[in-house]
Amino acid sequence: MDRIKDSKNITILKGTLAKEIKKDRVITNKGDFYYKHLVGADGSYSLVRRFLGLKSKISIGLYYRVPEIIDNLKIYFYPKLLKSSYIWLFPHKNHTNIGIGLHLDSKNLTFDQSKEILEKFLEKNNFTYSEKEFKFAPLNCYYKGCIFGNIFLIGEAAGLVSKFKGEGIFYALISGEEIGKRILNPGYKMPELKKALKIKKEEERVGKIFESLPFFRGLLLKFYINLSKRPWI
Ligand SMILES: Cc1cc2nc3c(=O)[nH]c(=O)nc-3n(C[C@H](O)[C@H](O)[C@H](O)COP(=O)(O)OP(=O)(O)OC[C@H]3O[C@@H](n4cnc5c(N)ncnc54)[C@H](O)[C@@H]3O)c2cc1C
């Protein structure tokens, strides 16, 4: 934002809520804005995506912010209980973010069960938690394309999240850059986005195999972790 805020051809409107998308304009709480190209970068519950009539597949990240600060990032897998999901511990400067992912389409755990598992984990590991530090947010991993005529989707609006890792920052950055280049040059083939999509597809394929083989989950996980420690992977 800092790098573009003084550009003559860019106007940034802060605190502006897009309320409705029309074929030729966006209706906001600060008036109507007509567009030649519209880029929906509005996250997992994208208004632009809904205007295009695209479905979403929602996962949810549930987490507590606890006051204890740990030294390193940690990930815990419980393949029998959580299938391909995991519990993460991300240390921050003033707190640690400890959370769990929930895939609503996998018929595995409910929201309440996931929250209970997370709380048991916190208690067992002596973390202090309180309801007011509990948060959750949706993720949309259902990719159906980025280009729809003069309307574009990037990041989570496009469903660009790795379903099993819950990672979307990398995809949001890549897709934003690639779509920007594509708008400037309609012949641009978006090679970086294609590479990223290949990774997402491959990860989701492995994740599906993992979920469909309940008895081998522990073994597969060990194999996958050992493999990813190799420098040549
Ligand atoms: C709990 C949790 C943990 C995560 N952990 C990781 C992680 O460790 N690593 C990782 O890579 N990814 C992680 N992700 C995913 C990552 O946060 C997202 O994929 C990424 O932020 C997507 O970026 P985005 O710009 O597409 O959308 P967002 O970051 O969601 O940005 C969308 C923006 O659009 C705005 N907006 C939405 N609707 C409107 C509207 N109608 N009018 C105006 N503005 C609007 C929102 O306010 C928001 O600022 C996590 C997600 C969750 C929920």
Side-chain angles (χ1 to χ4, degrees):
M1 282 285 206
D2 270 355
R3 273 167 51 201
I4 58 169
K5 73 177 181 351
D6 297 323
S7 303
K8 295 232 172 343
N9 60 340
I10 297 174
T11 309
I12 298 171
L13 292 178
K14 290 190 177 166
T16 307
L17 179 70
K19 296 207 282 198
E20 199 182 338
I21 310 294
K22 297 272 187 194
K23 261 195 326 216
D24 56 349
R25 65 192 188 280
V26 180
I27 299 171
T28 79
N29 59 345
K30 292 192 181 159
D32 293 6
F33 295 89
Y34 286 79
Y35 60 82
K36 232 190 317 182
H37 300 99
L38 174 66
V39 181
D42 47 346
S44 54
Y45 194 55
S46 164
L47 190 65
V48 182
R49 186 183 178 95
R50 281 180 283 143
F51 170 75
L52 291 167
L54 301 175
K55 290 199 175 117
S56 297
K57 283 187 185 163
I58 298 296
S59 299
I60 301 183
L62 300 79
Y63 61 92
Y64 277 97
R65 286 159 59 126
V66 304
E68 294 85 5
I69 301 168
I70 58 166
D71 292 335
N72 294 310
L73 183 156
K74 288 184 184 163
I75 306 273
Y76 286 83
F77 293 95
Y78 299 99
K80 277 197 188 126
L81 182 65
L82 299 180
K83 290 192 176 178
S84 56
S85 192
Y86 55 83
I87 290 180
W88 69 78
L89 291 83
F90 292 163
H92 288 250
K93 206 170 168 194
N94 302 316
H95 68 275
T96 300
N97 175 317
I98 306 184
I100 187 170
L102 161 69
H103 306 307
L104 291 184
D105 64 341
S106 70
K107 299 186 184 73
N108 185 17
L109 297 164
T110 64
F111 183 94
D112 289 344
Q113 285 167 332
S114 302
K115 187 166 183 255
E116 201 182 317
I117 291 170
L118 180 59
E119 287 168 359
K120 280 199 178 130
F121 176 88
L122 294 170
E123 281 157 25
K124 197 172 155 212
N125 292 284
N126 298 319
F127 288 107
T128 324
Y129 67 93
S130 72
E131 200 56 37
K132 74 175 192 338
E133 293 299 341
F134 174 68
K135 309 254 181 319
F136 60 91
L139 297 102
N140 171 30
C141 61
Y142 196 32
Y143 178 73
K144 297 295 282 177
C146 281
I147 303 178
F148 304 87
N150 65 337
I151 301 184
F152 303 83
L153 296 176
I154 60 171
E156 259 193 62
L160 285 170
V161 175
S162 161
K163 178 174 173 186
F164 295 99
K165 283 192 184 163
E167 286 175 359
I169 296 170
F170 157 75
Y171 293 106
L173 294 172
I174 293 273
S175 56
E177 200 171 332
E178 291 284 87
I179 288 297
K181 289 180 182 168
R182 174 71 174 231
I183 291 172
L184 291 174
N185 170 12
Y188 181 64
K189 298 269 187 276
M190 305 195 293
E192 296 307 319
L193 182 61
K194 282 186 185 148
K195 272 189 227 161
L197 285 170
K198 223 169 147 184
I199 297 172
K200 175 171 154 66
K201 210 169 156 190
E202 189 55 25
E203 278 179 6
E204 289 177 358
R205 198 174 65 84
V206 173
K208 257 194 192 150
I209 296 173
F210 185 80
E211 292 226 314
S212 64
L213 296 170
F215 299 111
F216 296 107
R217 267 180 218 146
L219 212 64
L220 280 173
L221 194 60
K222 271 190 199 139
F223 176 70
Y224 185 70
I225 291 169
N226 281 333
L227 208 64
S228 52
K229 282 183 188 159
R230 311 259 162 138
W232 38 269
I233 297 286

